[in-house]
C-alpha cells in the first residue's frame, strides 16, 4: 500500500506554555467574534426587530462550528514569530477578522454554487427562502433568500474590515492583498465555469489565489508581521502556497469521492457539474482521456470517477498531496523558528492535507 502521508516528526508537540498561549489566543478570538456579533445584533434589533436578520445569518454560520483554520494559522504565525499571549489584542482582532471574511466568502459561495447545505445546516439563502415561503410573502421566495444571503455576506465583509481596523497599520497592506486575491480568484473560478474551461494552469492559479494565499499563506504572514518578523515572509509564503494547494486538492477529492456527512456540505457538487477544479486540472495533465470526458456532457460524473480510479490518477493525486506537504515543511527548515513551532506547523500541514480521509 502506498504511504501517501509523510511521517510526522516527534517534535510536533508544543510545550505546555506554548500550547496554553495558543489556546488562550484562540479562545480570545472566539470571545471577540461572539461579543462583536452580539453587540451588532443588539444594536440593530433595538432599531427594528427585523433589522438584525443579516447579522443573525452571519452569527448562525460563525457559531455553527468550522475548523477556524485561518485564525489558527494567524495565531500560529504570531506565536511562532515570538509574539506573546498577553496584553496584545492586535492578533485577536486579526484572527477574528479572518474568520468573518471567511463567513462572507462561504455565504456568497453557497449562493453562486446553489448549495443547499453548509456544516450540516441549510445555507443562508435556503434558510431565508424557507422563511419567505412560511410567511407567504410577496415575490419570488428564492430571489428573496439569495438577496438576504448576498447582503449578509456583504455585511460580513464590512465587519471583517472593522475588526481588522483594531490591528496595527503595518498589516493593512497584507490584508488588502488577501481580500483582493480572494475576490479575483472567485471571479476567475466563476469565469472558468462559464467558459467550461479545461485549462489546468488556470485551475492551479485559481486554487492558489482562493486557497493557498487566503487559507494559510496570508494568515501566517499576518501573524508573523504582527510579531514584527518580516524575515519569515519568504518561508511562510512557500509553506503556505504549497500546503494550501494540498488543502485544495483534499477538498476536491472529498467533493469527488466523499460524503456529505464528512464534509458538512453536498458531496459531488463541483464534480457533478464538471467544474474545472485543481483535481481535474492535474487529472487532465496525467491522462488525456479525462479532458475528453470532461468536455463531453453526455458522460456523467460516475464515468469520470471511475476513470480517475482506474487510471491511477486518484492515487497519483494522493501522492502529490504528500509531496506538497513535504515541500512546504522543508521550506521551514532554515527559518529562524523554535523547533517546537516548526514541528507544530508540520503537524498543522498534515492536519489540513490529510483531513477526513
Amino acid at each position: 500500500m502506498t504511504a501517501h502521508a509523510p511521517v510526522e516528526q516527534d517534535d510536533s508537540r508544543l510545550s505546555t506554555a506554548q500550547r496554553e498561549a495558543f489556546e488562550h489566543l484562540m479562545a480570545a478570538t472566539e470571545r471577540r467574534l461572539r461579543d462583536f456579533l452580539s453587540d451588532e445584533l443588539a444594536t440593530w434589533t433595538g432599531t427594528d426587530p427585523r433589522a438584525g436578520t443579516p447579522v443573525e445569518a452571519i452569527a448562525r454560520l460563525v457559531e455553527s462550528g468550522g475548523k477556524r483554520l485561518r485564525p489558527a494559522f494567524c495565531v500560529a504565525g504570531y506565536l511562532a514569530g515570538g509574539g506573546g499571549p498577553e496584553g496584545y489584542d492586535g492578533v485577536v482582532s486579526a484572527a477574528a477578522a479572518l474568520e468573518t471574511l471567511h463567513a462572507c466568502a462561504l455565504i456568497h459561495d453557497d449562493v453562486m454554487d446553489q448549495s443547499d447545505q453548509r456544516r450540516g445546516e441549510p445555507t443562508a439563502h435556503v434558510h431565508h427562502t424557507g422563511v419567505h415561503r412560511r410567511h407567504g410573502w410577496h415575490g419570488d421566495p428564492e430571489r428573496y433568500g439569495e438577496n438576504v444571503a448576498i447582503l449578509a455576506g456583504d455585511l460580513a465583509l464590512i465587519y471583517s474590515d472593522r475588526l481588522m481596523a483594531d490591528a496595527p497599520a503595518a498589516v493593512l497592506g497584507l490584508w488588502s492583498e488577501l481580500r483582493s486575491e480572494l475576490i479575483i480568484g472567485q471571479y476567475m473560478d466563476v469565469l472558468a465555469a462559464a467558459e467550461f474551461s479545461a485549462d489546468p494552469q488556470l485551475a492551479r492559479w485559481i486554487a492558489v489565489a482562493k486557497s493557498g494565499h487566503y487559507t494559510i499563506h496570508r494568515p501566517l504572514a499576518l501573524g508573523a508581521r504582527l510579531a514584527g518578523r518580516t524575515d519569515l515572509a519568504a518561508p511562510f509564503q512557500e509553506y503556505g502556497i504549497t500546503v494550501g494547494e494540498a488543502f485544495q486538492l483534499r477538498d476536491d477529492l472529498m467533493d469527488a469521492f466523499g460524503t456529505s456527512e464528512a464534509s458538512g456540505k453536498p458531496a459531488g457538487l463541483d464534480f457533478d457539474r464538471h467544474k474545472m477544479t485543481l483535481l481535474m486540472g492535474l487529472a487532465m495533465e496525467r491522462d488525456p482521456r479525462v479532458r475528453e470526458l470532461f468536455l463531453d456532457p453526455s458522460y456523467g460524473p460516475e464515468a469520470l470517477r471511475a476513470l480517475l480510479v482506474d487510471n491511477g490518477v486518484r492515487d497519483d493525486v494522493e501522492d502529490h498531496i504528500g509531496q506538497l506537504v513535504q515541500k512546504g515543511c522543508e521550506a521551514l527548515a532554515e527559518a529562524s523558528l523554535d523547533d517546537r513551532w516548526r514541528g507544530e506547523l508540520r503537524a498543522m500541514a498534515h492536519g489540513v492535507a490529510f483531513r477526513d480521509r
Side-chain angles (χ1 to χ4, degrees):
M1 181 179 292
T2 304
H4 299 299
V7 177
E8 293 186 51
Q9 302 298 313
D10 291 338
D11 60 355
S12 63
R13 299 293 182 184
L14 297 178
S15 69
T16 299
Q18 288 170 326
R19 177 61 62 192
E20 287 177 348
F22 180 82
E23 292 177 354
H24 168 78
L25 289 174
M26 290 299 292
T29 300
E30 291 296 320
R31 289 193 298 272
R32 184 84 169 97
L33 285 166
R34 184 185 64 242
D35 292 347
F36 180 90
L37 292 172
S38 178
D39 289 347
E40 282 296 300
L41 185 59
T43 295
W44 291 110
T45 55
T47 301
D48 185 307
R50 299 166 297 180
T53 296
V55 186
E56 288 175 339
I58 300 168
R60 185 181 300 112
L61 178 60
V62 170
E63 294 168 5
S64 67
K67 294 177 285 292
R68 300 292 194 260
L69 289 180
R70 293 148 196 86
F73 277 105
C74 180
V75 168
Y78 173 72
L79 293 173
E86 301 292 346
Y88 185 65
D89 192 53
V91 69
V92 172
S93 295
L98 285 163
E99 190 63 25
T100 314
L101 177 65
H102 187 45
C104 161
L106 293 182
I107 292 170
H108 284 169
D109 271 356
D110 289 338
V111 174
M112 289 184 282
D113 293 342
Q114 298 177 303
S115 179
D116 62 2
Q117 189 182 71
R118 172 70 65 179
R119 296 173 183 169
E121 299 293 334
T123 50
H125 66 282
V126 168
H127 172 80
H128 287 285
T129 295
V131 170
H132 186 288
R133 287 191 173 124
R134 287 194 298 273
H135 284 85
W137 290 337
H138 293 287
D140 181 354
E142 291 185 357
R143 177 59 62 87
Y144 172 81
E146 290 175 353
N147 288 344
V148 173
I150 291 169
L151 292 169
D154 290 347
L155 186 61
L157 179 62
I158 292 168
Y159 285 168
S160 70
D161 279 342
R162 282 180 52 187
L163 287 161
M164 188 60 78
D166 293 335
V171 302
L172 296 184
L174 277 174
W175 176 243
S176 295
E177 290 176 29
L178 184 158
R179 289 179 304 153
S180 298
E181 287 163 347
L182 174 62
I183 299 301
I184 297 299
Q186 184 63 66
Y187 163 71
M188 293 300 291
D189 195 25
V190 170
L191 177 64
E195 292 180 338
F196 208 50
S197 170
D199 182 350
Q201 293 308 311
L202 175 60
R204 181 171 287 109
W205 185 91
I206 291 170
V208 169
K210 286 184 59 182
S211 186
H213 286 312
Y214 156 65
T215 302
I216 300 174
H217 168 214
R218 298 299 187 193
L220 260 180
L222 277 169
R225 183 73 63 85
L226 288 166
R229 290 293 303 277
T230 56
D231 61 298
L232 293 174
F236 278 0
Q237 177 175 347
E238 178 70 13
Y239 169 93
I241 290 176
T242 53
V243 176
E245 185 173 335
F247 167 83
Q248 186 58 54
L249 280 171
R250 174 61 55 204
D251 208 50
D252 292 347
L253 284 174
M254 289 171 63
D255 177 81
F257 298 101
T259 64
S260 298
E261 289 74 20
S263 65
K265 57 184 179 180
L269 198 61
D270 291 342
F271 201 78
D272 293 351
R273 295 173 180 171
H274 289 210
K275 187 174 180 180
M276 188 59 193
T277 62
L278 182 55
L279 168 64
M280 293 306 298
L282 288 175
M284 287 177 189
E285 290 180 335
R286 285 161 169 75
D287 188 339
R289 292 177 296 169
V290 175
R291 180 186 293 271
E292 294 173 12
L293 287 183
F294 178 83
L295 292 174
D296 189 342
S298 67
Y299 286 93
E302 289 307 320
L304 273 172
R305 287 189 182 90
L307 179 57
L308 295 187
V309 173
D310 293 344
N311 65 5
V313 165
R314 183 179 182 182
D315 282 339
D316 287 348
V317 170
E318 287 282 6
D319 288 334
H320 184 58
I321 290 173
Q323 292 163 12
L324 286 167
V325 170
Q326 183 173 351
K327 181 180 179 182
C329 293
E330 287 173 352
L332 304 177
E334 302 302 320
S336 181
L337 291 168
D338 179 286
D339 281 341
R340 290 183 179 272
W341 271 111
R342 201 187 326 271
E344 181 68 11
L345 289 171
R346 280 198 293 267
M348 292 175 74
H350 280 76
V352 300
F354 300 104
R355 68 196 190 281
D356 296 324
R357 288 180 53 184

